[in-house]
Amino acid sequence: MNAENSWTPDQPIISMRNVRKSFGDFEVLKGIDLEVKKGEVICIIGPSGSGKSTLIRTINGLTPVNAGSVMVEGQEVHDEKLDKLALRRKVGMVFQQYNLFPHRTVLQNVMMAPVLVLRENKAEVEKRARALLEKVQLRDKEDAYPLELSGGQQQRVAIARSLCMRPDIMLFDEVTAALDPETVNEVLFTIRELAEEGMTCVLVTHEMGFAKEISDRVYFTDSGRIVESGPPAELFDAPKDPRTREFLSKVL
Ligand code: ADP
Ligand code: MG
């Protein structure tokens, strides 16, 4: 993100060390260590309120930390001198609430940030946006308005919008949690395609089957700590910690 960065792709693309975050007196993250390699797909699972959203939001600087370090491509995210715009471009994020602009068409929503924020050439962005809508199978909806679409379609627009910034990393925070059950799979399909193409992905999800199938590693969080992490076959089928076992017995 700036000239002196000596990061190379064989080093972790995300590296969190002893990250702590409090809201008032309440410590939500109690020393998080997490490492992601380029092209890896990581899932974070855990009970509601365990700090998953807070954790993922520290990766793109949306939530400031109280202690510890979050490095993305070798640069400290929480360094006040960091180019925030460059960080936002490199780390895309999709939320449970897709927050598309209701008075803009699908195509305009996808094009907006690169054109208005990055000041990129409009014709080039438009070409890219159309290709992305094709990718998420919504090319025929480019002139529709968000509220004319199903939740799953809107979420796919949100993913295309994020991808139009050409990020290196995608963060997904419970992106299917608010969807009608019949539209969940189309969104998971889009994410799976991205993952298979080698996009580095960090997902917070309640879709355990999907997490098991898609992730290289799974992290289980409880009360602001990472209790256990490992390959999905180990964590899901042979969890070591009693808290992981208890959680999985409730959700599987
Ligand atoms: P999860 O995503 O695992 O459900 P969160 O990271 O959203 O957990 O929240 C963890 C805890 O931090 C919760 O108790 C929540 O109420 C609290 N919290 C999250 N964001 C804020 C905030 N902005 N101000 C105060 N408390 C917050
Ligand atoms: Mg959350």
Side-chain angles (χ1 to χ4, degrees):
M1 284 172 243
N2 62 34
E4 72 255 29
N5 188 3
S6 60
W7 179 79
T8 54
D10 55 323
Q11 295 167 333
I13 192 165
I14 302 169
S15 170
M16 303 178 69
R17 288 274 172 269
N18 198 23
V19 170
R20 290 176 176 272
K21 172 65 187 176
S22 298
F23 291 110
D25 292 340
F26 181 47
E27 195 171 44
V28 177
L29 300 180
K30 298 171 181 154
I32 298 289
D33 294 303
L34 180 146
E35 214 161 74
V36 185
K37 298 192 198 82
K38 190 171 165 19
E40 267 192 320
V41 177
I42 298 297
C43 284
I44 300 168
I45 62 169
S48 181
S50 60
K52 304 180 299 297
S53 293
T54 306
L55 189 167
I56 205 170
R57 289 163 62 91
T58 67
I59 299 175
N60 69 349
L62 272 181
T63 294
V65 301
N66 296 108
S69 151
V70 181
M71 309 281 272
V72 167
E73 296 186 354
Q75 298 220 300
E76 177 54 59
V77 168
H78 299 279
D79 179 347
E80 58 192 30
K81 294 195 293 287
L82 182 80
D83 178 349
K84 290 281 186 292
L85 185 58
L87 177 70
R88 291 284 149 77
R89 197 195 70 62
K90 273 179 196 292
V91 187
M93 182 156 184
V94 185
F95 305 87
Q96 182 173 326
Q97 298 306 350
Y98 9 90
N99 295 328
L100 300 172
F101 292 99
H103 304 299
R104 294 278 187 274
T105 65
V106 162
L107 183 66
Q108 288 167 339
N109 265 280
V110 175
M111 290 177 58
M112 200 174 285
V115 171
L116 296 182
V117 182
L118 302 181
R119 307 261 169 224
E120 284 190 58
N121 178 284
K122 202 171 168 183
E124 278 167 29
V125 174
E126 187 166 325
K127 217 171 131 195
R128 195 158 83 224
R130 289 218 165 90
L132 286 167
L133 286 172
E134 183 85 52
K135 185 185 175 67
V136 301
Q137 300 179 10
L138 288 173
R139 183 69 160 80
D140 57 329
K141 298 289 188 195
E142 68 171 56
D143 295 323
Y145 288 86
L147 295 177
E148 298 167 355
L149 305 181
S150 73
Q153 290 172 330
Q154 291 186 58
Q155 196 57 296
R156 284 183 284 147
V157 175
I159 294 172
R161 176 179 60 174
S162 203
L163 292 174
C164 205
M165 296 286 270
R166 291 187 284 193
D168 295 343
I169 299 168
M170 284 290 288
L171 309 176
F172 296 95
D173 189 0
E174 295 200 26
V175 294
T176 59
L179 300 180
D180 294 329
E182 67 269 26
T183 69
V184 166
N185 279 335
E186 64 198 37
V187 174
L188 297 182
F189 179 87
T190 295
I191 298 173
R192 184 185 297 116
E193 267 197 340
L194 265 182
E196 282 168 358
E197 286 165 11
M199 175 66 79
T200 306
C201 296
V202 179
L203 295 100
V204 173
T205 185
H206 286 306
E207 299 284 338
M208 295 301 148
F210 184 67
K212 188 172 174 180
E213 171 212 331
I214 196 178
S215 38
D216 295 301
R217 267 174 312 119
V218 183
Y219 286 81
F220 171 69
T221 60
D222 191 22
S223 306
R225 290 195 171 83
I226 289 168
V227 171
E228 184 168 352
S229 71
E234 278 175 29
L235 195 125
F236 285 108
D237 299 333
K240 292 188 186 78
D241 194 282
R243 284 166 291 179
T244 319
R245 266 183 249 140
E246 195 205 340
F247 175 75
L248 290 176
S249 74
K250 287 184 195 147
V251 296
L252 283 181

